[in-house]
Amino acid sequence: MRNEMEIIFDAVSDNEAFARVAVAAFVSHLNPTLEELSDIKTAVSEAVTNSIIHGYENLYGYGRPADRKKVHPGKVQVQCVLEEDVLHIRVTDKGKGIENLEQAMEPLFTTKPELERSGMGFAFMEAFMDDLEVESSPGEGTVVIMRKKLGTGSWIDSEE
Amino acid sequence: MDQVTADDFQVIDHCLMVRLPEEVDHHSAGYISRNADRHLMREEVRNIVFDFEDTRFMDSSGIGVIMGRYRKISCFGGRVYAIHADSQIQRILKVSGMSRVVEIIE
């Protein structure tokens, strides 16, 4: 069975919770485990947050009051495709893009230490999903593609 | 969504207790950090306890909050504890490597 959905929303931090809950709801009929749902929500949250604060540099959620004039009007697009029990997620923004992708994907690397970004975003996407691909061109935007097979249980617990 | 209030931050015996909201993400992280830091500045805080009792979701923004507070108190010998963390939250703490600096108390 194939099932598809797509949401497009303003790149503001208020929508982070909406995006991850929407994706979780989309897969809910497959009866995913709590752990799988949590993994997916975390990964979506990381990708969407990246688009908002790095892609569009809409920073006001970080304890900063909203200055509507300064809010970038950009949109974040989240597309999901379910093919049998494999969930494909694509998060697209048309923000400023990533100059050095290799560096950006290193754990603990962040361009915004002053915001206390932990630099764990891509590491979390990698850890909690089966597959992660990132394409980005400076000035044009970034696409994050993630895949996860549902119904396989946890590999993190079994590795311990 | 529930909002963090001043009641969620209490200093008891030089220990700052922070009751975290249901969802710790970039949206709520700034408020938590600012309030915690206000207590760190004004009162004599030695250790910090993050209470995850109500928390059902956390992403790397939460790791940033914990790491930032840890940096502020660890140089004075302070410690950071996590209490009431459910299995998902504990996984996040472990995957991020935070479990090495944060003591998870069951």
Side-chain angles (χ1 to χ4, degrees), chain A residues 13 16 20 35 39 45-46 53 62 116-118 156, chain B residues 23 25-27 33 57 59-61 64 69 88 91:
Chain A
S13 70
E16 289 159 7
R20 61 180 180 258
E35 198 160 281
D39 289 354
S45 194
E46 301 297 347
I53 67 174
Y62 223 93
E116 291 190 334
R117 302 305 305 162
S118 61
I156 288 182
Chain B
E23 309 216 308
D25 60 2
H26 152 242
H27 191 65
S33 295
F57 177 84
D59 64 16
S60 70
S61 312
R69 307 292 82 63
Q88 308 301 333
R91 274 182 77 213

mmCIF file with all atom_site columns, all heavy atoms in Angstrom, chain A residues 13 16 20 35 39 45-46 53 62 116-118 156, chain B residues 23 25-27 33 57 59-61 64 69 88 91:
data_model
loop_
_atom_site.group_PDB
_atom_site.id
_atom_site.type_symbol
_atom_site.label_atom_id
_atom_site.label_alt_id
_atom_site.label_comp_id
_atom_site.label_asym_id
_atom_site.label_entity_id
_atom_site.label_seq_id
_atom_site.pdbx_PDB_ins_code
_atom_site.Cartn_x
_atom_site.Cartn_y
_atom_site.Cartn_z
_atom_site.occupancy
_atom_site.B_iso_or_equiv
_atom_site.pdbx_formal_charge
_atom_site.auth_seq_id
_atom_site.auth_comp_id
_atom_site.auth_asym_id
_atom_site.auth_atom_id
_atom_site.pdbx_PDB_model_num
ATOM 1   N N   . SER A 1 13  ? 8.627  28.882 14.961 1.00 0.00 ? 13  SER A N   1
ATOM 2   C CA  . SER A 1 13  ? 8.827  27.785 15.911 1.00 0.00 ? 13  SER A CA  1
ATOM 3   C C   . SER A 1 13  ? 7.513  27.222 16.447 1.00 0.00 ? 13  SER A C   1
ATOM 4   O O   . SER A 1 13  ? 7.467  26.084 16.895 1.00 0.00 ? 13  SER A O   1
ATOM 5   C CB  . SER A 1 13  ? 9.734  28.232 17.060 1.00 0.00 ? 13  SER A CB  1
ATOM 6   O OG  . SER A 1 13  ? 9.063  29.154 17.880 1.00 0.00 ? 13  SER A OG  1
ATOM 7   N N   . GLU A 1 16  ? 6.679  23.807 14.958 1.00 0.00 ? 16  GLU A N   1
ATOM 8   C CA  . GLU A 1 16  ? 7.514  22.611 15.131 1.00 0.00 ? 16  GLU A CA  1
ATOM 9   C C   . GLU A 1 16  ? 6.703  21.454 15.697 1.00 0.00 ? 16  GLU A C   1
ATOM 10  O O   . GLU A 1 16  ? 6.782  20.317 15.208 1.00 0.00 ? 16  GLU A O   1
ATOM 11  C CB  . GLU A 1 16  ? 8.699  22.928 16.044 1.00 0.00 ? 16  GLU A CB  1
ATOM 12  C CG  . GLU A 1 16  ? 9.719  23.839 15.381 1.00 0.00 ? 16  GLU A CG  1
ATOM 13  C CD  . GLU A 1 16  ? 10.591 24.560 16.383 1.00 0.00 ? 16  GLU A CD  1
ATOM 14  O OE1 . GLU A 1 16  ? 10.520 24.278 17.590 1.00 0.00 ? 16  GLU A OE1 1
ATOM 15  O OE2 . GLU A 1 16  ? 11.359 25.439 15.955 1.00 0.00 ? 16  GLU A OE2 1
ATOM 16  N N   . ARG A 1 20  ? 5.693  17.685 13.734 1.00 0.00 ? 20  ARG A N   1
ATOM 17  C CA  . ARG A 1 20  ? 6.035  16.336 14.199 1.00 0.00 ? 20  ARG A CA  1
ATOM 18  C C   . ARG A 1 20  ? 4.799  15.537 14.570 1.00 0.00 ? 20  ARG A C   1
ATOM 19  O O   . ARG A 1 20  ? 4.739  14.321 14.357 1.00 0.00 ? 20  ARG A O   1
ATOM 20  C CB  . ARG A 1 20  ? 7.047  16.379 15.347 1.00 0.00 ? 20  ARG A CB  1
ATOM 21  C CG  . ARG A 1 20  ? 6.618  17.095 16.592 1.00 0.00 ? 20  ARG A CG  1
ATOM 22  C CD  . ARG A 1 20  ? 7.711  17.065 17.667 1.00 0.00 ? 20  ARG A CD  1
ATOM 23  N NE  . ARG A 1 20  ? 7.284  17.761 18.852 1.00 0.00 ? 20  ARG A NE  1
ATOM 24  C CZ  . ARG A 1 20  ? 7.664  18.978 19.192 1.00 0.00 ? 20  ARG A CZ  1
ATOM 25  N NH1 . ARG A 1 20  ? 8.509  19.656 18.436 1.00 0.00 ? 20  ARG A NH1 1
ATOM 26  N NH2 . ARG A 1 20  ? 7.224  19.542 20.300 1.00 0.00 ? 20  ARG A NH2 1
ATOM 27  N N   . GLU A 1 35  ? 8.162  3.902  20.866 1.00 0.00 ? 35  GLU A N   1
ATOM 28  C CA  . GLU A 1 35  ? 9.538  4.231  20.571 1.00 0.00 ? 35  GLU A CA  1
ATOM 29  C C   . GLU A 1 35  ? 9.702  4.717  19.125 1.00 0.00 ? 35  GLU A C   1
ATOM 30  O O   . GLU A 1 35  ? 10.365 5.713  18.862 1.00 0.00 ? 35  GLU A O   1
ATOM 31  C CB  . GLU A 1 35  ? 10.376 2.985  20.779 1.00 0.00 ? 35  GLU A CB  1
ATOM 32  C CG  . GLU A 1 35  ? 11.828 3.251  20.937 1.00 0.00 ? 35  GLU A CG  1
ATOM 33  C CD  . GLU A 1 35  ? 12.470 2.055  21.600 1.00 0.00 ? 35  GLU A CD  1
ATOM 34  O OE1 . GLU A 1 35  ? 12.356 1.909  22.816 1.00 0.00 ? 35  GLU A OE1 1
ATOM 35  O OE2 . GLU A 1 35  ? 13.062 1.264  20.850 1.00 0.00 ? 35  GLU A OE2 1
ATOM 36  N N   . ASP A 1 39  ? 10.895 8.339  17.919 1.00 0.00 ? 39  ASP A N   1
ATOM 37  C CA  . ASP A 1 39  ? 12.023 8.511  17.002 1.00 0.00 ? 39  ASP A CA  1
ATOM 38  C C   . ASP A 1 39  ? 11.643 9.422  15.836 1.00 0.00 ? 39  ASP A C   1
ATOM 39  O O   . ASP A 1 39  ? 12.386 10.327 15.462 1.00 0.00 ? 39  ASP A O   1
ATOM 40  C CB  . ASP A 1 39  ? 12.449 7.148  16.421 1.00 0.00 ? 39  ASP A CB  1
ATOM 41  C CG  . ASP A 1 39  ? 13.121 6.273  17.456 1.00 0.00 ? 39  ASP A CG  1
ATOM 42  O OD1 . ASP A 1 39  ? 13.357 6.764  18.571 1.00 0.00 ? 39  ASP A OD1 1
ATOM 43  O OD2 . ASP A 1 39  ? 13.402 5.106  17.144 1.00 0.00 ? 39  ASP A OD2 1
ATOM 44  N N   . SER A 1 45  ? 11.282 16.906 14.160 1.00 0.00 ? 45  SER A N   1
ATOM 45  C CA  . SER A 1 45  ? 11.508 18.129 14.924 1.00 0.00 ? 45  SER A CA  1
ATOM 46  C C   . SER A 1 45  ? 12.886 18.726 14.623 1.00 0.00 ? 45  SER A C   1
ATOM 47  O O   . SER A 1 45  ? 13.033 19.939 14.454 1.00 0.00 ? 45  SER A O   1
ATOM 48  C CB  . SER A 1 45  ? 11.381 17.811 16.415 1.00 0.00 ? 45  SER A CB  1
ATOM 49  O OG  . SER A 1 45  ? 11.265 18.975 17.164 1.00 0.00 ? 45  SER A OG  1
ATOM 50  N N   . GLU A 1 46  ? 13.897 17.855 14.534 1.00 0.00 ? 46  GLU A N   1
ATOM 51  C CA  . GLU A 1 46  ? 15.250 18.326 14.244 1.00 0.00 ? 46  GLU A CA  1
ATOM 52  C C   . GLU A 1 46  ? 15.321 18.979 12.859 1.00 0.00 ? 46  GLU A C   1
ATOM 53  O O   . GLU A 1 46  ? 15.870 20.061 12.690 1.00 0.00 ? 46  GLU A O   1
ATOM 54  C CB  . GLU A 1 46  ? 16.260 17.169 14.289 1.00 0.00 ? 46  GLU A CB  1
ATOM 55  C CG  . GLU A 1 46  ? 16.356 16.428 15.604 1.00 0.00 ? 46  GLU A CG  1
ATOM 56  C CD  . GLU A 1 46  ? 16.834 17.293 16.752 1.00 0.00 ? 46  GLU A CD  1
ATOM 57  O OE1 . GLU A 1 46  ? 17.324 18.412 16.505 1.00 0.00 ? 46  GLU A OE1 1
ATOM 58  O OE2 . GLU A 1 46  ? 16.693 16.863 17.902 1.00 0.00 ? 46  GLU A OE2 1
ATOM 59  N N   . ILE A 1 53  ? 15.462 27.802 12.076 1.00 0.00 ? 53  ILE A N   1
ATOM 60  C CA  . ILE A 1 53  ? 16.452 28.696 12.696 1.00 0.00 ? 53  ILE A CA  1
ATOM 61  C C   . ILE A 1 53  ? 17.722 28.847 11.879 1.00 0.00 ? 53  ILE A C   1
ATOM 62  O O   . ILE A 1 53  ? 18.400 29.854 11.999 1.00 0.00 ? 53  ILE A O   1
ATOM 63  C CB  . ILE A 1 53  ? 16.789 28.305 14.147 1.00 0.00 ? 53  ILE A CB  1
ATOM 64  C CG1 . ILE A 1 53  ? 17.512 26.973 14.213 1.00 0.00 ? 53  ILE A CG1 1
ATOM 65  C CG2 . ILE A 1 53  ? 15.555 28.263 15.005 1.00 0.00 ? 53  ILE A CG2 1
ATOM 66  C CD1 . ILE A 1 53  ? 17.960 26.684 15.606 1.00 0.00 ? 53  ILE A CD1 1
ATOM 67  N N   . TYR A 1 62  ? 13.436 31.290 20.391 1.00 0.00 ? 62  TYR A N   1
ATOM 68  C CA  . TYR A 1 62  ? 14.441 30.991 21.391 1.00 0.00 ? 62  TYR A CA  1
ATOM 69  C C   . TYR A 1 62  ? 14.453 32.034 22.500 1.00 0.00 ? 62  TYR A C   1
ATOM 70  O O   . TYR A 1 62  ? 15.458 32.700 22.745 1.00 0.00 ? 62  TYR A O   1
ATOM 71  C CB  . TYR A 1 62  ? 15.821 30.869 20.748 1.00 0.00 ? 62  TYR A CB  1
ATOM 72  C CG  . TYR A 1 62  ? 16.546 29.701 21.317 1.00 0.00 ? 62  TYR A CG  1
ATOM 73  C CD1 . TYR A 1 62  ? 16.483 28.455 20.717 1.00 0.00 ? 62  TYR A CD1 1
ATOM 74  C CD2 . TYR A 1 62  ? 17.238 29.818 22.510 1.00 0.00 ? 62  TYR A CD2 1
ATOM 75  C CE1 . TYR A 1 62  ? 17.102 27.372 21.269 1.00 0.00 ? 62  TYR A CE1 1
ATOM 76  C CE2 . TYR A 1 62  ? 17.858 28.731 23.076 1.00 0.00 ? 62  TYR A CE2 1
ATOM 77  C CZ  . TYR A 1 62  ? 17.784 27.510 22.449 1.00 0.00 ? 62  TYR A CZ  1
ATOM 78  O OH  . TYR A 1 62  ? 18.386 26.429 23.019 1.00 0.00 ? 62  TYR A OH  1
ATOM 79  N N   . GLU A 1 116 ? 22.723 28.199 22.054 1.00 0.00 ? 116 GLU A N   1
ATOM 80  C CA  . GLU A 1 116 ? 22.808 26.921 22.754 1.00 0.00 ? 116 GLU A CA  1
ATOM 81  C C   . GLU A 1 116 ? 22.247 25.790 21.914 1.00 0.00 ? 116 GLU A C   1
ATOM 82  O O   . GLU A 1 116 ? 21.611 24.881 22.429 1.00 0.00 ? 116 GLU A O   1
ATOM 83  C CB  . GLU A 1 116 ? 22.073 26.978 24.086 1.00 0.00 ? 116 GLU A CB  1
ATOM 84  C CG  . GLU A 1 116 ? 22.788 27.870 25.056 1.00 0.00 ? 116 GLU A CG  1
ATOM 85  C CD  . GLU A 1 116 ? 22.230 27.756 26.451 1.00 0.00 ? 116 GLU A CD  1
ATOM 86  O OE1 . GLU A 1 116 ? 21.059 27.405 26.580 1.00 0.00 ? 116 GLU A OE1 1
ATOM 87  O OE2 . GLU A 1 116 ? 22.985 28.034 27.371 1.00 0.00 ? 116 GLU A OE2 1
ATOM 88  N N   . ARG A 1 117 ? 22.453 25.891 20.625 1.00 0.00 ? 117 ARG A N   1
ATOM 89  C CA  . ARG A 1 117 ? 22.130 24.728 19.811 1.00 0.00 ? 117 ARG A CA  1
ATOM 90  C C   . ARG A 1 117 ? 23.184 23.690 20.149 1.00 0.00 ? 117 ARG A C   1
ATOM 91  O O   . ARG A 1 117 ? 24.372 24.006 20.231 1.00 0.00 ? 117 ARG A O   1
ATOM 92  C CB  . ARG A 1 117 ? 22.184 25.074 18.308 1.00 0.00 ? 117 ARG A CB  1
ATOM 93  C CG  . ARG A 1 117 ? 21.248 26.194 17.889 1.00 0.00 ? 117 ARG A CG  1
ATOM 94  C CD  . ARG A 1 117 ? 19.825 25.930 18.279 1.00 0.00 ? 117 ARG A CD  1
ATOM 95  N NE  . ARG A 1 117 ? 19.341 24.650 17.765 1.00 0.00 ? 117 ARG A NE  1
ATOM 96  C CZ  . ARG A 1 117 ? 18.277 24.030 18.235 1.00 0.00 ? 117 ARG A CZ  1
ATOM 97  N NH1 . ARG A 1 117 ? 17.600 24.530 19.224 1.00 0.00 ? 117 ARG A NH1 1
ATOM 98  N NH2 . ARG A 1 117 ? 17.905 22.887 17.714 1.00 0.00 ? 117 ARG A NH2 1
ATOM 99  N N   . SER A 1 118 ? 22.754 22.457 20.337 1.00 0.00 ? 118 SER A N   1
ATOM 100 C CA  . SER A 1 118 ? 23.698 21.448 20.815 1.00 0.00 ? 118 SER A CA  1
ATOM 101 C C   . SER A 1 118 ? 24.555 20.882 19.685 1.00 0.00 ? 118 SER A C   1
ATOM 102 O O   . SER A 1 118 ? 25.555 20.226 19.939 1.00 0.00 ? 118 SER A O   1
ATOM 103 C CB  . SER A 1 118 ? 22.932 20.322 21.501 1.00 0.00 ? 118 SER A CB  1
ATOM 104 O OG  . SER A 1 118 ? 22.043 19.713 20.583 1.00 0.00 ? 118 SER A OG  1
ATOM 105 N N   . ILE A 1 156 ? 18.605 0.310  19.051 1.00 0.00 ? 156 ILE A N   1
ATOM 106 C CA  . ILE A 1 156 ? 19.482 0.915  20.065 1.00 0.00 ? 156 ILE A CA  1
ATOM 107 C C   . ILE A 1 156 ? 19.483 0.059  21.322 1.00 0.00 ? 156 ILE A C   1
ATOM 108 O O   . ILE A 1 156 ? 20.518 -0.247 21.893 1.00 0.00 ? 156 ILE A O   1
ATOM 109 C CB  . ILE A 1 156 ? 19.022 2.349  20.386 1.00 0.00 ? 156 ILE A CB  1
ATOM 110 C CG1 . ILE A 1 156 ? 19.371 3.245  19.197 1.00 0.00 ? 156 ILE A CG1 1
ATOM 111 C CG2 . ILE A 1 156 ? 19.714 2.887  21.638 1.00 0.00 ? 156 ILE A CG2 1
ATOM 112 C CD1 . ILE A 1 156 ? 19.022 4.682  19.388 1.00 0.00 ? 156 ILE A CD1 1
ATOM 113 N N   . GLU B 2 23  ? 6.618  19.219 26.402 1.00 0.00 ? 23  GLU B N   1
ATOM 114 C CA  . GLU B 2 23  ? 7.445  19.106 25.206 1.00 0.00 ? 23  GLU B CA  1
ATOM 115 C C   . GLU B 2 23  ? 8.619  20.068 25.321 1.00 0.00 ? 23  GLU B C   1
ATOM 116 O O   . GLU B 2 23  ? 8.433  21.274 25.444 1.00 0.00 ? 23  GLU B O   1
ATOM 117 C CB  . GLU B 2 23  ? 6.624  19.452 23.962 1.00 0.00 ? 23  GLU B CB  1
ATOM 118 C CG  . GLU B 2 23  ? 5.316  18.675 23.900 1.00 0.00 ? 23  GLU B CG  1
ATOM 119 C CD  . GLU B 2 23  ? 4.942  18.286 22.495 1.00 0.00 ? 23  GLU B CD  1
ATOM 120 O OE1 . GLU B 2 23  ? 4.928  19.184 21.646 1.00 0.00 ? 23  GLU B OE1 1
ATOM 121 O OE2 . GLU B 2 23  ? 4.698  17.085 22.253 1.00 0.00 ? 23  GLU B OE2 1
ATOM 122 N N   . ASP B 2 25  ? 11.273 21.536 23.229 1.00 0.00 ? 25  ASP B N   1
ATOM 123 C CA  . ASP B 2 25  ? 11.814 21.713 21.887 1.00 0.00 ? 25  ASP B CA  1
ATOM 124 C C   . ASP B 2 25  ? 12.376 23.129 21.779 1.00 0.00 ? 25  ASP B C   1
ATOM 125 O O   . ASP B 2 25  ? 12.449 23.851 22.774 1.00 0.00 ? 25  ASP B O   1
ATOM 126 C CB  . ASP B 2 25  ? 10.742 21.429 20.816 1.00 0.00 ? 25  ASP B CB  1
ATOM 127 C CG  . ASP B 2 25  ? 9.527  22.358 20.936 1.00 0.00 ? 25  ASP B CG  1
ATOM 128 O OD1 . ASP B 2 25  ? 9.535  23.240 21.811 1.00 0.00 ? 25  ASP B OD1 1
ATOM 129 O OD2 . ASP B 2 25  ? 8.592  22.182 20.153 1.00 0.00 ? 25  ASP B OD2 1
ATOM 130 N N   . HIS B 2 26  ? 12.757 23.509 20.589 1.00 0.00 ? 26  HIS B N   1
ATOM 131 C CA  . HIS B 2 26  ? 13.344 24.830 20.380 1.00 0.00 ? 26  HIS B CA  1
ATOM 132 C C   . HIS B 2 26  ? 12.389 25.925 20.851 1.00 0.00 ? 26  HIS B C   1
ATOM 133 O O   . HIS B 2 26  ? 12.791 26.943 21.389 1.00 0.00 ? 26  HIS B O   1
ATOM 134 C CB  . HIS B 2 26  ? 13.680 24.944 18.882 1.00 0.00 ? 26  HIS B CB  1
ATOM 135 C CG  . HIS B 2 26  ? 13.658 26.319 18.332 1.00 0.00 ? 26  HIS B CG  1
ATOM 136 N ND1 . HIS B 2 26  ? 12.786 26.701 17.346 1.00 0.00 ? 26  HIS B ND1 1
ATOM 137 C CD2 . HIS B 2 26  ? 14.392 27.402 18.621 1.00 0.00 ? 26  HIS B CD2 1
ATOM 138 C CE1 . HIS B 2 26  ? 12.982 27.965 17.054 1.00 0.00 ? 26  HIS B CE1 1
ATOM 139 N NE2 . HIS B 2 26  ? 13.955 28.419 17.812 1.00 0.00 ? 26  HIS B NE2 1
ATOM 140 N N   . HIS B 2 27  ? 11.083 25.659 20.692 1.00 0.00 ? 27  HIS B N   1
ATOM 141 C CA  . HIS B 2 27  ? 10.072 26.656 21.039 1.00 0.00 ? 27  HIS B CA  1
ATOM 142 C C   . HIS B 2 27  ? 10.054 26.946 22.539 1.00 0.00 ? 27  HIS B C   1
ATOM 143 O O   . HIS B 2 27  ? 9.869  28.087 22.956 1.00 0.00 ? 27  HIS B O   1
ATOM 144 C CB  . HIS B 2 27  ? 8.704  26.144 20.580 1.00 0.00 ? 27  HIS B CB  1
ATOM 145 C CG  . HIS B 2 27  ? 7.635  27.177 20.633 1.00 0.00 ? 27  HIS B CG  1
ATOM 146 N ND1 . HIS B 2 27  ? 7.653  28.294 19.841 1.00 0.00 ? 27  HIS B ND1 1
ATOM 147 C CD2 . HIS B 2 27  ? 6.527  27.279 21.404 1.00 0.00 ? 27  HIS B CD2 1
ATOM 148 C CE1 . HIS B 2 27  ? 6.588  29.030 20.121 1.00 0.00 ? 27  HIS B CE1 1
ATOM 149 N NE2 . HIS B 2 27  ? 5.895  28.439 21.060 1.00 0.00 ? 27  HIS B NE2 1
ATOM 150 N N   . SER B 2 33  ? 15.788 28.083 29.619 1.00 0.00 ? 33  SER B N   1
ATOM 151 C CA  . SER B 2 33  ? 17.163 28.514 29.856 1.00 0.00 ? 33  SER B CA  1
ATOM 152 C C   . SER B 2 33  ? 17.202 29.858 30.581 1.00 0.00 ? 33  SER B C   1
ATOM 153 O O   . SER B 2 33  ? 17.940 30.034 31.547 1.00 0.00 ? 33  SER B O   1
ATOM 154 C CB  . SER B 2 33  ? 17.917 28.651 28.530 1.00 0.00 ? 33  SER B CB  1
ATOM 155 O OG  . SER B 2 33  ? 18.030 27.391 27.933 1.00 0.00 ? 33  SER B OG  1
ATOM 156 N N   . PHE B 2 57  ? 8.178  14.590 25.307 1.00 0.00 ? 57  PHE B N   1
ATOM 157 C CA  . PHE B 2 57  ? 8.951  14.780 24.075 1.00 0.00 ? 57  PHE B CA  1
ATOM 158 C C   . PHE B 2 57  ? 10.141 15.694 24.334 1.00 0.00 ? 57  PHE B C   1
ATOM 159 O O   . PHE B 2 57  ? 10.019 16.706 25.015 1.00 0.00 ? 57  PHE B O   1
ATOM 160 C CB  . PHE B 2 57  ? 8.074  15.403 22.979 1.00 0.00 ? 57  PHE B CB  1
ATOM 161 C CG  . PHE B 2 57  ? 8.853  15.689 21.717 1.00 0.00 ? 57  PHE B CG  1
ATOM 162 C CD1 . PHE B 2 57  ? 9.062  14.691 20.775 1.00 0.00 ? 57  PHE B CD1 1
ATOM 163 C CD2 . PHE B 2 57  ? 9.427  16.934 21.510 1.00 0.00 ? 57  PHE B CD2 1
ATOM 164 C CE1 . PHE B 2 57  ? 9.824  14.935 19.652 1.00 0.00 ? 57  PHE B CE1 1
ATOM 165 C CE2 . PHE B 2 57  ? 10.193 17.184 20.377 1.00 0.00 ? 57  PHE B CE2 1
ATOM 166 C CZ  . PHE B 2 57  ? 10.386 16.177 19.448 1.00 0.00 ? 57  PHE B CZ  1
ATOM 167 N N   . ASP B 2 59  ? 13.788 17.085 22.006 1.00 0.00 ? 59  ASP B N   1
ATOM 168 C CA  . ASP B 2 59  ? 14.716 16.937 20.885 1.00 0.00 ? 59  ASP B CA  1
ATOM 169 C C   . ASP B 2 59  ? 16.059 17.570 21.267 1.00 0.00 ? 59  ASP B C   1
ATOM 170 O O   . ASP B 2 59  ? 16.310 17.838 22.441 1.00 0.00 ? 59  ASP B O   1
ATOM 171 C CB  . ASP B 2 59  ? 14.129 17.499 19.582 1.00 0.00 ? 59  ASP B CB  1
ATOM 172 C CG  . ASP B 2 59  ? 13.898 18.998 19.643 1.00 0.00 ? 59  ASP B CG  1
ATOM 173 O OD1 . ASP B 2 59  ? 14.453 19.655 20.546 1.00 0.00 ? 59  ASP B OD1 1
ATOM 174 O OD2 . ASP B 2 59  ? 13.165 19.514 18.783 1.00 0.00 ? 59  ASP B OD2 1
ATOM 175 N N   . SER B 2 60  ? 16.913 17.817 20.291 1.00 0.00 ? 60  SER B N   1
ATOM 176 C CA  . SER B 2 60  ? 18.264 18.256 20.629 1.00 0.00 ? 60  SER B CA  1
ATOM 177 C C   . SER B 2 60  ? 18.285 19.651 21.262 1.00 0.00 ? 60  SER B C   1
ATOM 178 O O   . SER B 2 60  ? 19.277 20.033 21.877 1.00 0.00 ? 60  SER B O   1
ATOM 179 C CB  . SER B 2 60  ? 19.163 18.217 19.391 1.00 0.00 ? 60  SER B CB  1
ATOM 180 O OG  . SER B 2 60  ? 18.793 19.234 18.483 1.00 0.00 ? 60  SER B OG  1
ATOM 181 N N   . SER B 2 61  ? 17.191 20.406 21.129 1.00 0.00 ? 61  SER B N   1
ATOM 182 C CA  . SER B 2 61  ? 17.126 21.701 21.805 1.00 0.00 ? 61  SER B CA  1
ATOM 183 C C   . SER B 2 61  ? 17.203 21.509 23.318 1.00 0.00 ? 61  SER B C   1
ATOM 184 O O   . SER B 2 61  ? 17.807 22.320 24.023 1.00 0.00 ? 61  SER B O   1
ATOM 185 C CB  . SER B 2 61  ? 15.819 22.422 21.472 1.00 0.00 ? 61  SER B CB  1
ATOM 186 O OG  . SER B 2 61  ? 15.582 22.413 20.090 1.00 0.00 ? 61  SER B OG  1
ATOM 187 N N   . GLY B 2 64  ? 20.657 21.043 24.341 1.00 0.00 ? 64  GLY B N   1
ATOM 188 C CA  . GLY B 2 64  ? 21.309 22.356 24.424 1.00 0.00 ? 64  GLY B CA  1
ATOM 189 C C   . GLY B 2 64  ? 21.046 23.041 25.761 1.00 0.00 ? 64  GLY B C   1
ATOM 190 O O   . GLY B 2 64  ? 21.949 23.643 26.337 1.00 0.00 ? 64  GLY B O   1
ATOM 191 N N   . ARG B 2 69  ? 23.410 24.683 30.869 1.00 0.00 ? 69  ARG B N   1
ATOM 192 C CA  . ARG B 2 69  ? 23.359 24.826 32.327 1.00 0.00 ? 69  ARG B CA  1
ATOM 193 C C   . ARG B 2 69  ? 24.523 24.068 32.965 1.00 0.00 ? 69  ARG B C   1
ATOM 194 O O   . ARG B 2 69  ? 25.115 24.526 33.922 1.00 0.00 ? 69  ARG B O   1
ATOM 195 C CB  . ARG B 2 69  ? 22.040 24.300 32.894 1.00 0.00 ? 69  ARG B CB  1
ATOM 196 C CG  . ARG B 2 69  ? 20.781 24.871 32.253 1.00 0.00 ? 69  ARG B CG  1
ATOM 197 C CD  . ARG B 2 69  ? 20.529 26.322 32.510 1.00 0.00 ? 69  ARG B CD  1
ATOM 198 N NE  . ARG B 2 69  ? 21.236 27.265 31.670 1.00 0.00 ? 69  ARG B NE  1
ATOM 199 C CZ  . ARG B 2 69  ? 21.111 27.405 30.347 1.00 0.00 ? 69  ARG B CZ  1
ATOM 200 N NH1 . ARG B 2 69  ? 20.365 26.600 29.644 1.00 0.00 ? 69  ARG B NH1 1
ATOM 201 N NH2 . ARG B 2 69  ? 21.785 28.329 29.695 1.00 0.00 ? 69  ARG B NH2 1
ATOM 202 N N   . GLN B 2 88  ? 11.985 6.944  26.698 1.00 0.00 ? 88  GLN B N   1
ATOM 203 C CA  . GLN B 2 88  ? 12.303 7.723  25.498 1.00 0.00 ? 88  GLN B CA  1
ATOM 204 C C   . GLN B 2 88  ? 13.287 8.847  25.823 1.00 0.00 ? 88  GLN B C   1
ATOM 205 O O   . GLN B 2 88  ? 14.247 9.092  25.089 1.00 0.00 ? 88  GLN B O   1
ATOM 206 C CB  . GLN B 2 88  ? 11.044 8.348  24.897 1.00 0.00 ? 88  GLN B CB  1
ATOM 207 C CG  . GLN B 2 88  ? 9.902  7.380  24.651 1.00 0.00 ? 88  GLN B CG  1
ATOM 208 C CD  . GLN B 2 88  ? 10.295 6.265  23.706 1.00 0.00 ? 88  GLN B CD  1
ATOM 209 O OE1 . GLN B 2 88  ? 11.182 6.430  22.874 1.00 0.00 ? 88  GLN B OE1 1
ATOM 210 N NE2 . GLN B 2 88  ? 9.662  5.126  23.848 1.00 0.00 ? 88  GLN B NE2 1
ATOM 211 N N   . ARG B 2 91  ? 16.681 7.540  26.390 1.00 0.00 ? 91  ARG B N   1
ATOM 212 C CA  . ARG B 2 91  ? 17.356 7.213  25.113 1.00 0.00 ? 91  ARG B CA  1
ATOM 213 C C   . ARG B 2 91  ? 17.981 8.460  24.512 1.00 0.00 ? 91  ARG B C   1
ATOM 214 O O   . ARG B 2 91  ? 19.102 8.434  24.019 1.00 0.00 ? 91  ARG B O   1
ATOM 215 C CB  . ARG B 2 91  ? 16.348 6.643  24.116 1.00 0.00 ? 91  ARG B CB  1
ATOM 216 C CG  . ARG B 2 91  ? 16.150 5.164  24.267 1.00 0.00 ? 91  ARG B CG  1
ATOM 217 C CD  . ARG B 2 91  ? 15.193 4.678  23.229 1.00 0.00 ? 91  ARG B CD  1
ATOM 218 N NE  . ARG B 2 91  ? 15.797 4.570  21.923 1.00 0.00 ? 91  ARG B NE  1
ATOM 219 C CZ  . ARG B 2 91  ? 15.151 4.779  20.783 1.00 0.00 ? 91  ARG B CZ  1
ATOM 220 N NH1 . ARG B 2 91  ? 13.893 5.141  20.804 1.00 0.00 ? 91  ARG B NH1 1
ATOM 221 N NH2 . ARG B 2 91  ? 15.758 4.640  19.640 1.00 0.00 ? 91  ARG B NH2 1
#
